[in-house]
Amino acid sequence: MRSVDIAVAKTHKYASRDSGDTAEMVERPTGGVSVVLVDGQGSGAAAKSLSMMISSKAVSLLKEGVRDGAVARGTHDFLHAYRHGRVSATLDILSVDLASSTVLVTRNSDVAYIIRGGGSARCSEPGPGPIGLYRHTRPAVDQFPIEDGVTIIMFTDGVVSAGVRAGVRFMPLAFVEDALRDVTDALTICDRLLSA
């Protein structure tokens, strides 16, 4: 019997009560789960409202059985039409699809994710950028077979920009390879990455 271990860790944005980041999980109607991660443009209450609206749209489409790539495009089209190309958001969808026995990573973000398995870790290529701005924006889609021991770590730009103001850039891949080498529990990985 296989299991999927999913965790989310989040903190407030510096000097702001609200963050534009939203994470939601939904069960797929054909079997499996999807995690939707949205980072709305800006900060504060307006960014939070934007990210909640985007994640709600994506989750509703996933619940209806729409494929991940079409969910990303449909969510983009919705935001582009609603805000007339003036507002952006990043959108990442991580799905464990039991119908196809694959893991899908569908992204409209320029933040890479980390995939670890087989004793090594690597960063993905940067994605195509956010949704909402340009009419024909398309997502990047990566697909992997479901395998034991594979870990995928996704995060928003807050992680990769941590320490920049202090002149010390945080390197998530180096941290995963060093401090999290033998850690497999999803919640521990999230908490330690966020603490670092």
Side-chain angles (χ1 to χ4, degrees):
M1 180 167 163
R2 289 186 170 168
S3 65
V4 177
D5 190 14
I6 298 172
V8 175
K10 185 178 174 182
T11 189
H12 65 281
K13 183 174 182 171
Y14 176 75
S16 178
R17 198 174 72 114
D18 291 318
S19 156
D21 296 356
T22 298
E24 294 196 52
M25 187 171 71
V26 60
E27 186 174 353
R28 298 172 69 86
T30 57
V33 294
S34 293
V35 177
V36 174
L37 180 62
V38 178
D39 184 1
Q41 176 182 324
S43 61
K48 187 59 176 180
S49 295
L50 175 67
S51 69
M52 293 290 288
M53 180 179 69
I54 297 301
S55 65
S56 176
K57 175 60 78 174
V59 164
S60 70
L61 291 171
L62 288 165
K63 282 182 178 180
E64 293 170 6
V66 177
R67 291 176 290 168
D68 294 30
V71 168
R73 287 181 185 208
T75 304
H76 159 72
D77 291 345
F78 166 74
L79 178 59
H80 187 269
Y82 182 69
R83 298 302 298 265
H84 310 291
R86 290 190 220 119
V87 176
S88 68
T90 63
L91 171 65
D92 295 281
I93 305 170
L94 171 62
S95 295
V96 178
D97 185 2
L98 298 181
S100 64
S101 295
T102 58
V103 176
L104 291 164
V105 182
T106 305
R107 301 179 310 130
N108 279 102
S109 171
D110 46 14
V111 176
Y113 64 91
I114 297 172
I115 181 166
R116 185 176 70 179
S120 66
R122 65 177 173 84
C123 277
S124 70
E125 293 294 319
I131 62 171
L133 296 178
Y134 308 108
R135 183 160 182 76
H136 297 290
T137 297
R138 300 170 70 177
V141 180
D142 297 327
Q143 188 170 4
F144 313 97
I146 294 176
E147 294 178 354
D148 290 337
V150 171
T151 302
I152 296 176
I153 304 168
M154 299 179 82
F155 35 82
T156 60
D157 61 353
V159 171
V160 294
S161 64
V164 170
R165 289 183 184 171
V168 182
R169 185 166 195 116
F170 179 65
M171 305 300 287
L173 180 59
F175 182 78
V176 167
E177 289 178 316
D178 182 33
L180 300 177
R181 179 177 299 280
D182 300 319
V183 179
T184 58
D185 176 68
L187 184 56
T188 303
I189 291 170
C190 285
D191 287 343
R192 289 189 186 175
L193 190 61
L194 190 60
S195 294

